[in-house]
Amino acid sequence: MSRVVAHQFGVPSQFLAYEPCDMPAVDAGCALVRMQASPINPSDLIPVTGAYRHRTTLPFVPGFEGIGMVMDVGEGADRNLIGRRVLPLGTAGCWQTWKVLSADWCVAVPDDIDDERAATAYINPLTALLMVRTLALRAGDAIGINAAGSAIGRMLVRMVAAAGARPFAIVRSRSAYDALQDEPADVVREGATLPPLNAGLDAVGGVSGARLAAAIVPGGLLIHYGLMSGQPLRDAGKAKLMLFRLRDSVHAMPRAEFHASMDKSFAEIRAGRASCSICANYPLEAYRDALAHNARDGRQGKILLRP
Ligand SMILES: NC(=O)c1ccc[n+]([C@@H]2O[C@H](COP(=O)([O-])OP(=O)(O)OC[C@H]3O[C@@H](n4cnc5c(N)ncnc54)[C@H](OP(=O)(O)O)[C@@H]3O)[C@@H](O)[C@H]2O)c1
């Protein structure tokens, strides 16, 4: 039994530690999950840097999504969960052998969704679904999407196109430009002139976010949901700015609505719009190699840690 843990804030590759841990107790209403796979997402690494230190308690185990098997449940929890493949969501802690969580945050995985697709079925697919729903797209709307080669960028491109709108996929690297050529989008490099856009989805902030905002027609929506550049979005131009954080949305939802939303994520995965490719698997103890791979330029696809 082991875990990857942050005892102090700092650069994840230097400040995370791998250590043995004890079998946790299963409190009433909780489930004990044997973790099987968990991806490395940007949102897992940001809290390790200390960016959210005002609301992060040390020590903590990163990993906001993943797949595992329910091995036991506490008093009052649904015993039918035992033996089920689930996504143990709602809290961090997937980068360890065992995760204990409130049983009503366990999302049962349909049999036709394999472990790799299930492990990445929550954060990016559900964020993309909820943001596209917020856009209330009309046929022909032009929608700008930056960091479009990212896992969520590709999902957004496909969902926007499936809704009858026209995605403009904005990428910074040649490798992302080439990789997106088969997607249903106009693909452009950062800095290229954009057409007038009805709305935009910004995962970058800084200069890229400001350029995207400047192309949006007055009153059009700019959803800012990521900060890949590390620079704040300083200028939303004449666009209407909205910040999106998945955590805020799902924690505010009645739990039944959350489970229904996850059913839609699985449906988007089946349709091929919300699946993301996995480029490598690493045992948990090789987390430093996994983080180095994750930071490589031109990486296409997600990396899974295997506790
Ligand atoms: N707000 C929310 O609730 C929420 C939910 C899900 C995701 N997100 C955000 O969405 C973003 C993407 O997540 P992901 O899991 O899809 O990431 P990912 O698959 O790991 O992809 C990240 C890609 O973005 C590109 N990139 C990195 N820095 C960039 C920069 N400064 N400018 C432009 N492109 C850059 C890189 O591609 P190239 O090297 O090819 O350029 C990189 O491969 C993250 O910021 C994440 O926090 C937010």
Side-chain angles (χ1 to χ4, degrees), residues 70 73 77-86 108:
V70 178
V73 295
D78 180 3
R79 295 196 66 78
N80 291 322
L81 278 171
I82 296 172
R84 293 292 307 260
R85 287 191 316 146
V86 298

Side-chain angles (χ1 to χ4, degrees), residues 3 31 60-61 83 91 113 126 131 146 168 170 220 232 234 237 250 256 260 287 290 297 302:
R3 63 183 190 172
F60 77 95
V61 175
T91 49
I113 304 286
L126 193 53
M131 292 197 301
N146 62 12
F168 284 84
I170 304 158
R234 293 197 194 282
V250 297
Y287 72 99
D297 281 346
K302 285 280 172 197

Side-chain angles (χ1 to χ4, degrees), residues 42 124 127 150-152 172-173 225 228 244 246 299 302:
N124 286 324
T127 301
S150 64
I152 190 167
R172 64 171 183 174
S173 69
Y225 69 99
M228 303 277 338
F244 182 89
L246 180 64
R299 167 180 56 79
K302 285 280 172 197

Side-chain angles (χ1 to χ4, degrees), residues 139-154:
D141 277 353
I143 309 298
I145 300 164
N146 62 12
S150 64
I152 190 167
R154 289 171 194 234

